[in-house]
Amino acid sequence: MAVESQRVEDFRLAKEPYYLPLGNEVELFESAYHARLPVMLKGPTGCGKTRFVEHMSWRLERTLVTVACHEDLTASDLVGKYTLRGDETIWQDGPLTTAVKAGGIAYLDEIVEARKDTTVVIHPLTDDRRILPLEKKGEIVAAETKQRFVAIEFDYPPPDLEETILKAESGIDDDTAAKLVKIAEKVRNLRTHGLEEGVSTRLLVYAGQLIQGGVEPIAACEATICKPITDDLEMQRSIVE
Ligand code: ADP
């Protein structure tokens, strides 16, 4: 019976992903990696977690396999399953198995969105068993030594660093970057007034890219900052002000 595995070279990053460290997260991740400890990244959406993982996989020269988790994700989607190809039944490794076999980094993005019965498959990988059982295939793939979770906390970058990131990611000038970060600061403060999500670094990068592409700054900010973060018209008005 044929076995199909996703080719790991498909996942290698060609060039260094730009990442500006905000604290000791690079050293922490490297230490966790060398001690073979799994890492959990916490923090609001759009604050740099994905970029950080991309950067670390490049730095550590490890294959990166990313899975966007969601409610309908099943354990087989992660581990692998038998599928029919013509008259032949073939085993297709899932992304988690691909990562384990390649000794790479598996990034389960938004893992909190996945159901419990899906995420149980990572338990034997992250506790001291360090194995990935492929139940349907009756096979066990061994990972390396013992591990538990190490959490790294993320948040929006401090103003000076966020300005640096915006300039690097969109090419805008100092003045525009400073203004965007000021707006972000004000909007983030509205979170205590009922706004659920603050404006993310990602949205600021979008604003910068539109401005750099010739969109008038106010229109750019409306499209990237006001509209995406709330449907509440009253709140949108406060933000526009
Ligand atoms: P998350 O995974 O936390 O939702 P992302 O990693 O997708 O967020 O970050 C969104 C964008 O913000 C990135 O694509 C990048 O442009 C920018 N960004 C945020 N933080 C940093 C950082 N420290 N260094 C470089 N770029 C950053």
Side-chain angles (χ1 to χ4, degrees):
M1 185 184 51
V3 171
E4 196 166 86
S5 186
Q6 276 167 294
R7 290 207 327 276
V8 293
E9 55 274 30
D10 294 346
F11 300 95
R12 293 261 157 80
L13 297 167
K15 69 174 190 15
E16 177 176 357
Y18 166 72
Y19 180 76
L20 183 68
L22 309 179
N24 65 347
E25 68 273 29
V26 171
E27 293 74 23
L28 213 55
F29 192 101
E30 268 178 348
S31 301
Y33 171 77
H34 291 303
R36 296 290 184 262
L37 304 174
V39 176
M40 179 188 293
L41 308 181
K42 305 171 85 174
T45 174
C47 73
K49 300 183 294 299
T50 301
R51 180 62 67 84
F52 172 67
V53 173
E54 289 167 354
H55 180 79
M56 293 313 297
S57 86
W58 182 86
R59 240 182 131 94
L60 296 166
E61 301 181 335
R62 293 286 107 189
T63 296
L64 176 63
V65 179
T66 298
V67 182
C69 297
H70 53 81
E71 232 191 321
D72 298 328
L73 192 77
T74 64
S76 317
D77 292 334
L78 285 178
V79 172
K81 55 190 154 209
Y82 285 110
T83 55
L84 267 180
R85 172 81 49 86
D87 317 328
E88 217 191 350
T89 308
I90 60 161
W91 171 264
Q92 171 117 46
D93 281 342
L96 196 57
T97 308
T98 304
V100 170
K101 285 184 177 171
I105 295 174
Y107 178 41
L108 304 177
D109 196 8
E110 301 287 352
I111 193 166
V112 289
E113 298 293 332
R115 291 188 320 262
K116 281 260 164 51
D117 58 321
T118 299
T119 50
V120 285
V121 300
I122 71 164
H123 290 172
L125 249 189
T126 54
D127 66 21
D128 53 9
R129 285 172 282 170
R130 299 285 286 125
I131 52 164
L132 178 62
L134 308 181
E135 258 167 48
K136 292 197 180 129
K137 206 170 171 225
E139 189 184 303
I140 284 175
V141 183
E144 287 138 55
T145 47
K146 174 176 168 174
Q147 52 175 287
R148 269 183 273 130
F149 270 107
V150 171
I152 305 182
E153 197 91 45
F154 281 74
D155 204 347
Y156 305 125
D160 51 335
L161 298 186
E162 196 161 46
E163 279 176 36
T164 306
I165 293 167
L166 294 188
K167 286 187 281 183
E169 290 285 292
S170 68
I172 50 174
D173 60 30
D174 292 354
D175 184 48
T176 312
K179 282 182 180 147
L180 284 175
V181 170
K182 257 255 134 47
I183 293 172
E185 199 185 339
K186 290 197 172 143
V187 175
R188 284 169 192 164
N189 285 335
L190 287 174
R191 272 189 292 181
T192 50
H193 299 282
L195 186 67
E196 259 175 51
E197 252 182 274
V199 50
S200 65
T201 309
R202 179 191 294 125
L203 290 177
L204 294 182
V205 169
Y206 290 170
Q209 287 170 342
L210 290 186
I211 293 169
Q212 194 62 10
V215 176
E216 200 256 323
I218 300 222
C221 290
E222 268 185 10
T224 57
I225 299 173
C226 303
K227 300 257 156 62
I229 61 174
T230 179
D231 292 325
D232 181 339
L233 294 178
E234 195 63 35
M235 188 57 85
Q236 285 188 2
R237 251 195 301 280
S238 321
I239 297 171
V240 170
E241 254 162 54

